[in-house]
Amino acid sequence: SSEELIKAIATSLDSNLRGRIIFITGGMPGVQKAFAKGAGDGSRLWNLVPAGHKGTYGMGRDICAGTDLQQRRDIYIHLGDIYITVEGGPAV
């Protein structure tokens, strides 16, 4: 399944690039939650969420970005060097 694949990818990235990588999600359920669960202890996981919202899986640090999902997406695209996308949610 997509969730098993993304968790395996997160686990591999975490173990092979520890100390040289951070992970950013949108704090959403589904594949983002599966990724977060595979991304180590959560110390390098940031959940970019609109103001007034919280990540849905209790891992990592929530960071407010924008006032709604569209503004959050507009900010998100400027943060990373590499993006991994997997089907499974409205925020992809």
Side-chain angles (χ1 to χ4, degrees):
S1 78
S2 296
E3 289 186 17
E4 291 171 357
L5 172 63
I6 199 67
K7 187 174 180 183
I9 290 170
T11 299
S12 179
L13 289 171
D14 180 60
S15 64
N16 290 307
L17 298 173
R18 184 164 291 172
R20 298 178 291 171
I21 192 169
I22 64 161
F23 303 109
I24 303 172
T25 76
M28 308 276 291
V31 293
Q32 292 183 34
K33 180 178 180 178
F35 186 91
K37 299 263 184 207
D41 63 5
S43 64
R44 291 173 311 286
L45 176 66
W46 297 353
N47 305 305
L48 217 59
V49 296
H53 290 82
K54 293 185 178 190
T56 60
Y57 36 81
M59 294 188 69
R61 187 177 328 162
D62 290 346
I63 305 214
C64 293
T67 58
D68 58 26
L69 286 175
Q70 184 59 51
Q71 284 186 350
R72 195 245 9 219
R73 286 184 194 127
D74 292 343
I75 294 167
Y76 192 92
I77 63 172
H78 296 286
L79 298 177
D81 293 318
I82 297 172
Y83 293 85
I84 298 171
T85 57
V86 176
E87 58 86 21
V92 175

